Amino acid sequence: VEQGVEVVFGYPGGAILPFYDALHGQTLPRHVLMRHEQCAAFAADGYARATGRVGVCVATSGPGASNLVTGLGTALMDSVPMVAVTGQVPRASLGTDAFQELDIVGLTMPVTKHGFLVESVADIPTVVAEAFHIARSGRPGPTLIDVPKDVLLAASAAHPGAAPSAGRTPPRVGTAVPASGRAEADTQSADSTRTNAPPIERVRELLARASRPVVLVGRGVLLAGVTDTLRRFVEEHELPVVTTLLGLDAFPSEHPLCLGMPGMHGTERANLAIQRADLVLGLGLRFDDRVTGRVSAFAPRAQIVHFDISEAVAGRTVQADVRVIGDLAATLPALARNACCTPLDSWWEELRAWSREAEAFDADTEAAGPLSGRSMTRILGRWIGDRGAIAVTDVGQHQMWLAQELKNALPASHITSGGLGSMGFALPAAIGAQVARPDRETWVVAGDGGFQMSASELATVVQEQLPIRIVVHNNAALGLVWQWQSLTYGERFVASSLSGPDFALLARSHGIPACSVKTVEELTSALHRIDGIRGPALLDVQVPTEEHVFPMVQPGKGLDEMLHGRQRALV
Ligand SMILES: Cc1ncc(C[n+]2csc(CCOP(=O)(O)OP(=O)(O)O)c2C)c(N)n1
Ligand SMILES: [Mg+2]
């Protein structure tokens, strides 16, 4: 509570019960009971992404704690500030294979910035403060606090019914276990902007000389809160903008300067722009392999500039010619000041010759009649975007289609698991986002596979009375797996065909109004009906299995070797 936490997402059990007991009769924090600890971590993640605040999840020792692992990894990959609190067996039982004992600090070392095993009650205030500080600072990410049950009990005895008082100066933490090493690297780099005057000067020179520049925008722009600065900067110089999957909501997709998403399922205009550019200005992104395609073929004609808060991230895949390490809140305004550009008319002429639509609208097949994955996400992308709602997607074909089709998402309004690509993410993350932002409409778009991984959270939606709009893209398949087996495994389909329950019936069994739709007309009228519903609602959208997400850059290919719907390789 002293850290400003208002909500925690969790699941109780023996070792963590003293923590739960301390919540009794308290108004803060609110506890949201999830149906699985993985979903508690995803919900804390969605809460954090929707607000920029630290998300908190809670689990008991052993299986409760280990169920958090995927959620922590998801947050680490996507730079989401999170603190996980786990119960542990009493100190005297540590190392004895006690009931529900797992070394969770050891187990989560690679998926957290830092893990703490609390050794005494006196350490708790410092550990909590450090855990929140590390989660927030530098490149944000998850930390874990593991508290033995006897320490929790001693804490309750020391502070019956109240949080520890502020202002105490407790002794230094006994055991602070360095985890992924990211904490140290990031803390050092967080204030390293003082070293950046020369690199920024060099970037200004490169920009002034460039005739084919591209600005590549990642989630760091959102984390630094510089979306307005970015917009002013690129508008002033008419710079083309490409937004990664996690940077989609950092810049409006329909802005005339926006070329779309790059990478494996990026647009022709975005990918070819990068390949033809003479300067790539990367702002707060990791240049991960889904963005770069074959690294050796990435932006072959370009000088590459990489702005990032983390020394550890810069240069890991693509070698940047200039690295600017520091908070974009300081470095981007510093660049924008006095920056100048040559006129880019001929570059824009070249750019406009390529399509920024992932696939052209086909009036014959998309305006009416049976839905496809493409047409349903096109309708939803506009519907969700026009309402300024939050879109939370799962992982798979529907995720890529919606990323291509979502119109003008507001900052912190496109939430998806990018780096880890964790199926089952969408519904629980939307619970976190909706709890965080009751004032915002929140939409889930999930595949039938990913939805089945966390469908038990429908009960949480109802128990917490959250008005989440849920769309299941039901193609009776693990669609993206089907697509890979179709295109790169010679149509040898194995384990990609998927049955499921009647999703509408499943929702109704929870008391959630729901229906199944198959045509454009049915979807459109269902969307209008949902407008009149105050609580949650679910749409089961049935589409054929046989559909590919295009464009596609296959693994090992360069960004200009895209497959299009017509399966024509460009260039
Ligand atoms: C937890 C997890 N397991 C496996 C995968 C691998 N995977 C990526 S996409 C995908 C298929 C997703 O199917 P579905 O949820 O139905 O979405 P669709 O592709 O059909 O839209 C799978 C199995 C993953 N990303 N996450
Ligand atoms: Mg599917």
Side-chain angles (χ1 to χ4, degrees):
V1 172
E2 285 176 11
Q3 291 295 325
V5 175
E6 291 172 355
V7 190
V8 301
F9 302 87
Y11 207 95
I16 194 73
L17 269 184
F19 177 96
Y20 276 82
D21 189 51
L23 297 181
H24 186 256
Q26 304 285 325
T27 47
L28 277 178
R30 168 180 172 190
H31 181 274
V32 175
L33 176 65
M34 305 297 292
R35 297 303 184 267
H36 191 293
E37 291 85 356
Q38 177 174 295
C39 295
F42 286 157
D45 180 312
Y47 178 94
R49 292 193 209 219
T51 56
R53 301 170 66 178
V54 179
V56 179
C57 55
V58 183
T60 194
S61 66
S66 59
N67 274 349
L68 296 174
V69 169
T70 300
L72 292 168
T74 304
L76 185 80
M77 290 284 255
D78 289 352
S79 310
V80 177
M82 186 191 291
V83 172
V85 180
T86 49
Q88 183 53 280
V89 300
R91 282 172 297 180
S93 307
L94 281 169
T96 66
D97 280 352
F99 178 64
Q100 295 194 328
E101 180 185 6
L102 268 182
D103 171 10
I104 196 63
V105 171
L107 197 57
T108 56
M109 224 177 247
V111 290
T112 52
K113 283 179 79 175
H114 212 84
F116 299 88
L117 174 63
V118 179
E119 287 190 332
S120 89
V121 69
D123 291 344
I124 290 178
T126 314
V127 168
V128 170
E130 285 198 18
F132 276 81
H133 173 71
I134 293 170
R136 286 187 191 107
S137 60
R139 182 177 172 207
T143 59
L144 180 128
I145 308 174
D146 193 30
V147 200
K149 185 171 187 176
D150 59 317
V151 175
L152 281 174
L153 284 168
S156 329
H159 304 280
S165 59
R168 263 170 2 119
T169 47
R172 284 284 306 163
V173 181
T175 308
V177 185
S180 61
R182 192 188 266 189
E184 289 75 11
D186 285 351
T187 317
Q188 279 165 16
S189 63
D191 66 350
S192 59
T193 48
R194 63 181 182 277
T195 62
N196 284 330
I200 284 185
E201 265 323 302
R202 270 190 284 148
V203 181
R204 271 207 203 94
E205 285 162 20
L206 289 175
L207 193 58
R209 283 207 305 270
S211 52
R212 296 190 310 281
V214 172
V215 179
L216 189 43
V217 170
R219 179 166 150 73
V221 167
L222 288 157
L223 289 169
V226 291
T227 51
D228 290 342
T229 313
L230 170 74
R231 191 167 169 158
R232 281 194 301 274
F233 172 59
V234 296
E235 282 178 350
E236 185 179 343
H237 304 289
E238 296 195 348
L239 293 166
V241 176
V242 170
T243 49
T244 69
L245 178 66
L246 295 185
L248 283 186
D249 42 348
F251 194 76
S253 61
E254 297 215 309
H255 192 291
L257 298 175
C258 189
L259 311 184
M261 183 170 78
M264 181 172 274
H265 294 294
T267 64
E268 178 183 37
R269 193 175 284 179
N271 280 340
L272 293 186
I274 289 170
Q275 295 307 84
R276 304 294 161 78
D278 63 359
L279 177 67
V280 170
L281 216 58
L283 304 179
L285 79 160
R286 296 184 292 127
F287 288 98
D288 88 302
D289 53 280
R290 287 295 191 265
V291 164
T292 61
R294 191 170 77 250
V295 172
S296 59
F298 179 77
R301 302 165 174 82
Q303 298 269 347
I304 294 175
V305 174
H306 191 175
F307 284 73
D308 206 278
I309 199 163
S310 171
E311 182 87 52
V313 166
R316 264 197 317 209
T317 53
V318 169
Q319 289 305 320
D321 298 283
V322 183
R323 298 185 346 177
V324 183
I325 305 301
D327 191 338
L328 276 169
T331 56
L332 186 59
L335 170 66
R337 240 174 278 132
N338 312 323
C340 69
C341 270
T342 54
L344 302 175
D345 301 338
S346 67
W347 180 219
W348 272 108
E349 215 168 286
E350 201 176 336
L351 291 169
R352 289 200 183 97
W354 302 315
S355 174
R356 79 167 190 177
E357 306 308 325
E359 268 174 35
F361 179 72
D362 181 345
D364 288 344
T365 59
E366 289 178 33
L371 285 160
S372 62
R374 169 68 65 190
S375 62
M376 78 160 259
T377 46
R378 184 159 289 173
I379 293 167
L380 285 168
R382 166 118 7 238
W383 185 266
I384 296 170
D386 283 351
R387 315 157 81 71
I390 297 174
V392 189
T393 56
D394 215 83
V395 176
Q397 290 183 313
H398 66 280
Q399 176 194 33
M400 293 297 109
W401 276 315
L402 199 80
Q404 294 172 344
E405 298 291 346
L406 185 61
K407 300 301 173 205
N408 296 336
L410 298 169
S413 299
H414 174 251
I415 295 176
T416 198
S417 166
L420 206 60
S422 307
M423 284 172 68
F425 175 82
L427 180 58
I431 289 174
Q434 186 75 85
V435 165
R437 298 299 307 264
D439 55 318
R440 302 279 307 277
E441 214 174 275
T442 301
W443 287 75
V444 168
V445 181
D448 49 337
F451 182 73
Q452 288 187 66
M453 283 196 174
S454 50
S456 49
E457 297 302 333
L458 288 175
T460 312
V461 170
V462 172
Q463 186 168 355
E464 296 294 323
Q465 301 180 5
L466 301 170
I468 298 175
R469 278 72 174 92
I470 302 161
V471 179
V472 182
H473 163 257
N474 182 0
N475 57 357
L478 299 173
L480 212 51
V481 172
W482 176 91
Q483 172 158 345
W484 280 53
Q485 290 176 339
S486 166
L487 294 176
T488 51
Y489 289 87
E491 306 207 320
R492 290 188 302 282
F493 298 111
V494 180
S496 51
S497 159
L498 184 75
S499 70
D502 176 330
F503 293 109
L505 206 53
L506 179 68
R508 286 201 289 273
S509 78
H510 287 82
I512 297 176
C515 67
S516 297
V517 299
K518 282 187 177 161
T519 63
V520 172
E521 297 84 340
E522 287 168 359
L523 175 59
T524 313
S525 76
L527 289 172
H528 282 103
R529 274 203 311 282
I530 282 182
D531 257 351
I533 296 175
R534 288 168 62 88
L538 182 141
L539 280 180
D540 166 37
V541 184
Q542 298 177 2
V543 293
T545 300
E546 293 78 16
E547 192 181 350
H548 295 101
V549 181
F550 289 121
M552 181 178 185
V553 177
Q554 290 184 291
K557 302 284 187 187
L559 290 185
D560 46 5
E561 298 173 90
M562 277 168 280
L563 293 179
H564 281 253
R566 297 176 297 285
Q567 308 237 357
R568 146 182 84 89
L570 269 174
V571 185

